[in-house]
Amino acid sequence: MEGPKAQLECKNCNKFQNDFYPVDSHLTNMVEIDGKTYITDVSYGVSCQLWYPLEMISGKDQPQPPGVFRLLNNGMIWVLEKTSRKQVVKDKANANSSLIDRRLVKTMYCFPLTPRNKEHFVETLDCLQTSPDSRFVLKSICSLQTPNGFRALIGWTYSEITYNPEEDSDMVDMKEIPDSEIEAVLKEKFNVVLVNKLTPKNKKANYCM
């Protein structure tokens, strides 16, 4: 499966492009349930999280708590697309944050129906974890789905997003966390206790919630 748009090109580990990854970078599962075919994938967390399997029908809107997902097929590849709700920032001082996703419709990834094993992805995943151009090296990212939205700690920015489909919007509550409180936030909000102290990272890279 090829990764989302505007991310690292892992062929040389040093380029960005406004297109899909030129190499496979994300593994999903195709399963059969009661005679129907689905993909089962947790996707990328934050607002892109899939909560339920998606039926393999091209063009069918499939509503879930984070938004409306749909699969599109051009005869060669499948593309996963999502229609989101507008993100409304509670504190206007954070309204221009680069973490706010202003796209209402976005393409998440594409994939062919070619069976792969986990070894197929090793080189690309190593690149994503070690390349100085990778967003996963440039930023520290922790996210957790909640019954009505999600939480995220990206660098020093902690966000709580509450889904509000009745008003076609999602409420975003953001605040900056000082270094002295990072470990407490990880434990209290994400149930994460690290062996080593986390040094947050939030260097320039294309990433939004």
Side-chain angles (χ1 to χ4, degrees):
M1 176 178 292
E2 297 184 5
K5 303 184 80 173
Q7 286 196 13
L8 183 71
E9 177 183 343
C10 284
K11 185 175 182 180
N12 297 313
C13 292
N14 63 359
K15 296 180 180 179
F16 284 83
Q17 62 177 27
N18 289 316
D19 206 342
F20 295 108
Y21 284 172
V23 293
D24 299 333
S25 62
H26 187 78
L27 176 66
T28 190
N29 295 303
M30 186 168 68
V31 302
E32 187 173 298
I33 304 173
D34 296 332
K36 296 180 180 180
T37 304
Y38 298 82
I39 62 166
T40 57
D41 178 34
V42 296
S43 191
Y44 302 108
V46 292
S47 65
C48 291
Q49 186 88 23
L50 290 168
W51 286 31
Y52 311 110
L54 287 178
E55 189 174 0
M56 295 279 289
I57 297 180
S58 181
K60 178 182 178 181
D61 285 353
Q62 302 187 55
Q64 296 192 14
V68 179
F69 296 93
R70 71 188 60 82
L71 290 164
L72 305 173
N73 179 249
N74 67 0
M76 297 179 61
I77 63 170
W78 289 80
V79 174
L80 176 59
E81 186 178 82
K82 181 199 172 195
T83 298
S84 304
R85 295 176 291 270
K86 181 180 179 180
Q87 292 187 343
V88 179
V89 183
K90 185 175 180 180
D91 185 348
K92 300 306 179 184
N94 296 316
N96 294 322
S97 171
S98 62
L99 295 175
I100 302 301
D101 194 346
R102 295 172 176 80
R103 298 167 298 171
L104 294 182
V105 179
K106 57 188 173 185
T107 301
M108 293 172 55
Y109 55 67
C110 73
F111 60 97
L113 300 182
T114 305
R116 303 290 192 190
N117 57 36
K118 63 182 181 180
E119 287 74 23
H120 175 78
F121 300 89
V122 169
E123 183 178 352
T124 302
L125 295 182
D126 181 67
C127 174
L128 290 172
Q129 294 178 75
T130 60
S131 168
D133 294 324
S134 170
R135 70 177 58 178
F136 304 109
V137 173
L138 294 169
K139 292 182 179 292
S140 54
I141 303 169
C142 182
S143 70
L144 177 69
Q145 300 293 300
T146 66
N148 59 354
F150 65 91
R151 300 168 181 163
L153 178 64
I154 302 168
W156 292 265
T157 305
Y158 174 72
S159 303
E160 290 192 1
I161 286 74
T162 303
Y163 297 146
N164 189 10
E166 293 80 10
E167 297 185 12
D168 196 28
S169 64
D170 296 335
M171 181 60 67
V172 182
D173 192 1
M174 309 174 74
K175 63 179 179 180
E176 296 300 307
I177 306 297
D179 285 325
S180 60
E181 297 178 16
I182 291 292
E183 290 186 13
V185 169
L186 286 172
K187 183 177 181 179
E188 294 170 10
K189 300 297 186 179
F190 301 93
N191 197 27
V192 171
V193 178
L194 300 177
V195 174
N196 299 316
K197 182 178 175 61
L198 172 68
T199 301
K201 294 182 180 180
N202 194 19
K203 296 180 181 179
K204 187 176 180 180
N206 181 30
Y207 187 85
C208 52
M209 298 184 297

